[in-house]
Amino acid sequence: MLKEIISLFMIFILLVIFVMVGVAFLTLLERKVLGYIHIRKGPNKVGFIGILQPFSDAIKLFTKEQTFPFLSNYLCYYFAPVFSLFLALLVWFIIPYFTGFVSFELGLLFFLCCASLGVYTVMIAGWSSNSNYALLGGLRAVAQTISYEVSLALILLSFVFLIGKYNLLEFYNFQFYLWMIFFTFPLSMIWFISCLAETNRTPFDFAEGESELVSGFNVEYSSGGFALIFLAEYASILFMSMLFCIIFLGSDLNSLFFYFKLSFISFLFIWVRGTMPRFRYDKLMYLAWSGFLPLSLNYLLFFLGIKVFLFLLL
């Protein structure tokens, strides 16, 4: 039993290291892609064609002076970024490895719980800074995340009705011959857009609206605190890309092709950032409640109908 616990712990440490390296190179990819969208080069000085830029950024961020606002709620302010990164990494437990890393029977519920808890870290980071801009950014982020989580939960529930289990391994068995995206294309688009809103990415980056709120909920953070928030955001982007691939594009994690698909979905996050302007806030809410909610409810009833029909037929 002790050996199993130690090996599980070691595997999770390795997973965290690889996710962090993935996050580092995702930031480099973003800066390169945005550079070429702007018709410029992007980072190209540190190392060969800028390959070491993420590591120099990390060293710079973690060696800068840590500032604490005089009137901030110190403990909440200090620990909010730590919990944010912890939750972003904890959710990686549900990866459907065939070797039985941690095979969650209720993996999708675990994901929804972790995604819901992520709201609190943003809210506490904004509130504890004791800054009007940070508080406004935090409140916006909470309203936005809760709105789009409803659509995410309903889409996942549709697939739970269809597959009959919460375990992500079942998505691999179900998509052995045909990917889900071919017969749920509108649902995949809603899922992708909801993921953009969930991770506070353009065009839904109201929590960090630089042109409106200086920098939103993280305006008072510098040095390590800002770096942890940054890492948590990009770890969430990678995870959401992986979940998109598992649900809609087949989930054979032993195949190299799966990781190409994951990289492409991550690239789409960046591409959207380079091309889309920021939404107006009322339109963001209107899209969630008047657009996505009815459509995902319709799909939910459609899948339920299919399941009942198959049950009666068999």
Side-chain angles (χ1 to χ4, degrees):
M1 188 68 182
L2 186 62
K3 280 184 181 177
E4 281 186 14
I5 292 169
I6 291 169
S7 63
L8 189 66
F9 181 72
M10 293 304 293
I11 291 168
F12 189 63
I13 292 292
L14 277 174
L15 178 68
V16 167
I17 291 166
F18 289 134
V19 169
M20 288 292 100
V21 171
V23 164
F25 286 107
L26 181 62
T27 59
L28 179 64
L29 175 72
E30 176 164 41
R31 291 176 69 182
K32 282 282 189 186
V33 171
L34 290 178
Y36 283 110
I37 286 171
H38 297 156
I39 321 175
R40 56 186 175 81
K41 283 288 181 192
N44 62 349
K45 293 288 187 287
V46 186
F48 176 66
I49 59 166
I51 204 87
L52 297 176
Q53 184 71 43
F55 302 105
S56 65
D57 286 343
I59 293 165
K60 181 201 77 171
L61 277 169
F62 282 107
T63 52
K64 283 175 81 173
E65 183 187 357
Q66 181 88 38
T67 57
F68 298 104
F70 184 64
L71 294 172
S72 67
N73 193 323
Y74 180 80
L75 279 177
C76 297
Y77 172 85
Y78 191 85
F79 283 109
V82 178
F83 279 114
S84 179
L85 182 61
F86 174 72
L87 286 170
L89 293 174
L90 187 69
V91 81
W92 283 89
F93 258 134
I94 69 169
I95 296 181
Y97 278 125
F98 300 110
T99 49
F101 167 41
V102 177
S103 184
F104 272 110
E105 281 303 314
L106 303 173
L108 289 177
L109 287 181
F110 183 77
F111 158 69
L112 284 173
C113 291
C114 289
S116 304
L117 283 171
V119 177
Y120 293 103
T121 58
V122 173
M123 185 171 68
I124 290 167
W127 167 78
S128 63
S129 301
N130 206 10
S131 156
N132 292 337
Y133 290 116
L135 182 63
L136 193 56
L139 291 174
R140 279 176 150 197
V142 169
Q144 171 184 323
T145 310
I146 288 171
S147 301
Y148 280 89
E149 250 172 35
V150 176
S151 302
L152 285 180
L154 285 172
I155 292 168
L156 285 179
L157 201 57
S158 307
F159 290 120
V160 168
F161 279 153
L162 194 62
I163 291 169
K165 289 196 178 175
Y166 291 95
N167 196 338
L168 283 177
L169 270 172
E170 295 300 319
F171 281 93
Y172 169 71
N173 302 327
F174 205 81
Q175 298 178 87
F176 196 77
Y177 296 107
L178 183 71
W179 292 349
M180 287 276 198
I181 197 167
F182 291 122
F183 60 97
T184 58
F185 186 73
L187 216 54
S188 68
M189 291 297 101
I190 294 175
W191 177 271
F192 181 71
I193 295 164
S194 299
C195 287
L196 286 172
E198 195 71 12
T199 50
N200 295 325
R201 295 287 293 176
T202 309
F204 307 114
D205 57 339
F206 293 99
E208 306 166 17
E210 287 91 352
S211 56
E212 302 158 21
L213 297 173
V214 189
S215 182
F217 73 96
N218 56 21
V219 67
E220 300 292 349
Y221 283 96
S222 64
S223 180
F226 175 75
L228 292 180
I229 290 171
F230 190 73
L231 287 171
E233 182 184 326
Y234 281 84
S236 298
I237 290 168
L238 265 183
F239 180 78
M240 287 299 194
S241 305
M242 189 198 71
L243 208 56
F244 184 96
C245 293
I246 288 170
I247 294 172
F248 294 104
L249 299 173
S251 58
D252 184 8
L253 267 72
N254 296 332
S255 159
L256 190 62
F257 185 48
F258 176 83
Y259 299 97
F260 281 114
K261 289 184 286 189
L262 197 157
S263 305
F264 177 70
I265 301 298
S266 303
F267 167 74
L268 286 183
F269 274 84
I270 298 162
W271 193 4
V272 167
R273 180 178 178 181
T275 51
M276 298 287 288
R278 189 179 296 134
F279 253 45
R280 217 171 64 196
Y281 195 73
D282 59 317
K283 294 208 171 184
L284 165 92
M285 287 303 174
Y286 182 82
L287 180 69
W289 295 107
S290 301
F292 288 174
L293 184 63
L295 193 55
S296 37
L297 269 172
N298 280 329
Y299 257 101
L300 181 68
L301 293 171
F302 171 64
F303 280 139
L304 188 58
I306 288 176
K307 201 67 180 172
V308 170
F309 177 72
L310 288 173
F311 179 74
L312 293 173
L313 202 65
L314 299 172

